[in-house]
Amino acid sequence: MKMEDTYQHKGLRRKLIDELRSKGISNIEVLEAINRVPRHVFMESGFVHFAYKDQAFPIGSGQTISQPYTVAFQTQLLDIKKMDKVLEVGTGSGYQCAVLLEMGANVYTIERQRELFMKAQPTLSKLGYKPNFFFGDGYEGIPAYGPFDKIIVTAGGSEIPQKLLNQLKPQGKLVMPVGGTDSQKMTLVEKINDQEYRTTEHGSFIFVPFLKGRIY
Ligand code: SAH
């Protein structure tokens, strides 16, 4: 049964956590959150056995579930605090969303592909996770529910949309992989006030593309 979280799954997750720690993830809350999320439940049936490998895998509609290291890295960079209001752009499988919820965040997640949007909801709710789901174009953010303490973009784009920066609270943080289609720099933007931002880069990653518009 796919939903079951067996001792074997738990054991494999412990090993994954050790691996993430050895790759430089040091935030205990992030590691514990990843240790609590049954990643295999978010995977396509053909890949379930690989769920605790530190790799990205296809989730349908040409998209991927992010690599655990990448999920941990982005979550750590965002410095998630309990009760943070977080916007996630690119719900995909819902896995990153579950990790944010395990950190105690209040999550608003948006997906542009209807098929994935429809699939992530039952997966997350069966596990007891309750984010706020939106079907739409993440380039626009979710202005009616902003501003947010944190924004995480889980697809790679050539530039950070101003509309997302506008939906960030002062002292808020945004992480997004920025670059071309081959490789992107993990970019952290800290909003000081409406005019001032501090931008830093944190290594290279490869994401599926951040695309405009939505697909039914
Ligand atoms: N966070 C996801 C990662 C999925 S891959 C997970 O943990 O599984 C990135 C996702 O971003 C894809 O599902 C893709 O459809 C979505 N995406 C790309 N451009 C988008 C946009 N403009 N708005 C919303 N979602 C977008």
Side-chain angles (χ1 to χ4, degrees):
M1 251 274 289
K2 195 186 165 197
M3 282 295 291
E4 244 181 305
D5 193 28
T6 63
Y7 281 109
Q8 194 193 6
H9 290 133
K10 291 190 173 84
L12 291 170
R13 269 208 304 283
R14 281 245 142 261
K15 284 199 184 137
L16 172 65
I17 300 308
D18 291 343
E19 187 176 345
L20 296 178
R21 200 184 278 117
S22 75
K23 288 178 176 173
I25 304 298
S26 55
N27 182 312
I28 300 295
E29 274 112 54
V30 172
L31 292 167
E32 284 178 351
I34 288 182
N35 199 32
R36 287 193 294 270
V37 180
R39 187 173 188 245
H40 61 279
V41 178
F42 295 85
M43 312 248 312
E44 297 271 280
S45 49
F47 296 99
V48 167
H49 298 298
F50 304 116
Y52 299 104
K53 278 198 170 300
D54 190 22
Q55 282 176 26
F57 288 100
I59 53 171
S61 308
Q63 305 305 314
T64 56
I65 181 171
S66 299
Q67 184 183 342
Y69 174 75
T70 305
V71 170
F73 193 87
Q74 282 194 290
T75 309
Q76 179 168 286
L77 259 187
L78 268 185
D79 191 24
I80 300 289
K81 304 281 187 242
K82 284 200 171 54
M83 306 307 289
D84 266 355
K85 188 171 167 186
V86 180
L87 169 62
E88 181 197 22
V89 175
T91 312
S93 67
Y95 176 66
Q96 168 77 70
C97 178
V99 172
L100 293 167
L101 289 163
E102 286 285 359
M103 299 282 299
N106 191 357
V107 183
Y108 295 74
T109 185
I110 183 165
E111 174 56 55
R112 72 185 284 269
Q113 293 219 35
R114 182 108 195 148
E115 201 187 314
L116 293 172
F117 167 77
M118 296 300 287
K119 208 153 78 179
Q121 293 180 61
T123 306
L124 284 161
S125 51
K126 267 185 269 174
L127 290 167
Y129 293 118
K130 294 187 181 64
N132 303 284
F133 293 100
F134 296 83
F135 172 56
D137 182 0
Y139 270 89
E140 303 295 321
I142 316 177
Y145 290 85
F148 300 95
D149 296 297
K150 311 282 164 70
I151 299 178
I152 176 170
V153 181
T154 68
S158 58
E159 58 186 3
I160 298 170
Q162 184 60 45
K163 284 179 181 170
L164 293 185
L165 295 173
N166 293 346
Q167 289 170 42
L168 207 53
K169 289 183 192 173
Q171 313 304 318
K173 293 181 182 176
L174 175 150
V175 284
M176 172 175 158
V178 180
T181 48
D182 293 353
S183 154
Q184 305 93 31
K185 292 266 185 275
M186 190 60 76
T187 306
L188 171 67
V189 182
E190 298 168 83
K191 183 169 186 165
I192 296 158
N193 55 47
D194 284 338
Q195 285 78 41
E196 287 178 276
Y197 297 90
R198 185 185 305 119
T199 302
T200 49
E201 289 180 353
H202 302 266
S204 296
F205 290 81
I206 303 171
F207 279 74
V208 294
F210 187 19
L211 300 167
K212 286 199 171 124
R214 55 181 178 177
I215 302 179
Y216 281 90

